[in-house]
Amino acid sequence: MVPITRFTRIEKILDFIHTHLNQPISVIELAEQSCWSRWQLQRVFLEVTGLTVAQYIRELRLSQAAEQLLSSNAKHLDIAIDCGFESDVSFSRAFKQLFDCSPREYRQRGTRHGLRTPLQHPPIIQSPWTPSKAFMQIRIESHDAFTLFGRHSWVHGLFSSKPDFQICVPQIWQELETQYKHYQKAHPAFHKGDKAVGVIDTHDNKAYPQQILYWAGYQSENQSPLPFEKTLQIPAQEYAVIPIHGNAQAIKEALTWFIFDWLPESDYDGISGFELEKYETNYSPGNPNSYMEYWLPIRPRYSINEFA
């Protein structure tokens, strides 16, 4: 484990980067702030964040620029200079490498995707939640509308007086998978290649106080469901994407940190809607090495009109 003193030093470096992002920043200058040599700083920074210093600064500047493209009518060159780039050419080249489109195309699309946010060091160290690196980074993504095929049930969520989601959710998935097995021979191609997605409907329902509707299913292109399946239409939405390494208990730990620590300090508000659980292939709720992403619906804390 990396010593806590290193975390403190890296946090000081991150604070310096965040407050000087629109100014020239050199690794030598950062090394002087950290008491490490330039080589030592780069090695430690990569170890605890998974990013090089230059990569981190560049991605934050480009994310800041992408946000300005959507929230203002400023010219591309003005945005480039404001975000620390020397020319429109260097800005456009770096922008396309990160977002796979030009600044003009990004603005025309009008949706956030691939935005990097400042790294943070979660206060939870010893817990079932085991981030792959000491510092975490939340992404901001837009998700297209899609149809979910699956089954659902009411559960008591994280903030209920009697939460039972850690027991009920695996049961919903197990029941769904059991029913699929009976149809595999007759429908071998159904949902083949489709991504498993958990959907949490957080809209209020007076008939089920303190409960949320949980869906287990697949993001599918099929036109009709199997006899035991229901369908749910998920609208297009912007999300904060939380990377979660660890077993099912890790979801609770990560969401608690996100809601109580990250979100209040961010530029976004959480909103009611459909929260998504996206699992990697062969995800297992009891495996401490599993990985999934929790997509939580958000909206910017400002109005675009404020910048017009």
Side-chain angles (χ1 to χ4, degrees), residues 55-182:
Q55 179 186 3
Y56 180 62
I57 294 173
R58 181 173 64 254
E59 290 185 356
L60 277 191
R61 285 174 171 169
L62 290 168
S63 295
Q64 185 183 77
E67 189 66 63
Q68 289 190 36
L69 286 169
L70 299 181
S71 61
S72 77
N73 296 320
K75 296 179 180 178
H76 293 178
L77 179 59
D78 293 337
I79 292 176
I81 294 174
D82 184 56
C83 294
F85 291 88
E86 296 181 354
S87 69
D88 191 26
V89 174
S90 61
F91 167 62
S92 296
R93 184 186 303 114
F95 194 96
K96 191 166 186 177
Q97 287 176 345
L98 181 62
F99 296 111
D100 199 30
C101 67
S102 69
R104 183 179 302 278
E105 291 169 334
Y106 197 97
R107 174 173 269 172
Q108 289 174 342
R109 291 177 184 175
T111 56
R112 292 168 181 80
H113 65 87
L115 297 187
R116 275 61 165 180
T117 64
L119 286 163
Q120 289 193 21
H121 176 43
I124 305 170
I125 304 298
Q126 299 295 334
S127 76
W129 179 32
T130 53
S132 61
K133 296 294 179 183
F135 290 82
M136 282 189 60
Q137 189 173 51
I138 303 299
R139 300 195 326 270
I140 306 299
E141 301 280 2
S142 293
H143 200 298
D144 293 335
F146 68 94
T147 301
L148 185 83
F149 287 67
R151 59 179 296 132
H152 58 77
S153 181
W154 290 96
V155 303
H156 289 86
L158 177 61
F159 300 107
S160 169
S161 59
K162 296 182 179 180
D164 60 7
F165 66 95
Q166 289 179 286
I167 297 174
C168 294
V169 169
Q171 290 177 346
I172 298 171
W173 279 105
Q174 185 174 9
E175 291 170 1
L176 183 63
E177 291 173 359
T178 298
Q179 289 177 311
Y180 277 139
K181 289 181 180 179
H182 295 298

Side-chain angles (χ1 to χ4, degrees), residues 197-264:
V197 180
V199 175
I200 302 91
D201 184 351
T202 63
H203 294 96
D204 292 333
N205 189 305
K206 294 182 180 180
Y208 295 89
Q210 292 194 21
Q211 289 183 281
I212 54 177
L213 189 61
Y214 184 90
W215 285 75
Y218 293 86
Q219 181 178 339
S220 181
E221 299 298 328
N222 292 295
Q223 297 299 315
S224 59
L226 291 171
F228 58 85
E229 287 184 321
K230 301 294 183 181
T231 60
L232 176 67
Q233 302 299 322
I234 309 296
Q237 176 64 54
E238 288 185 346
Y239 293 87
V241 183
I242 311 167
I244 303 176
H245 297 261
N247 59 30
Q249 174 68 18
I251 301 174
K252 176 183 177 181
E253 305 281 358
L255 280 179
T256 299
W257 165 76
F258 176 86
I259 293 171
F260 285 97
D261 293 281
W262 189 90
L263 195 58

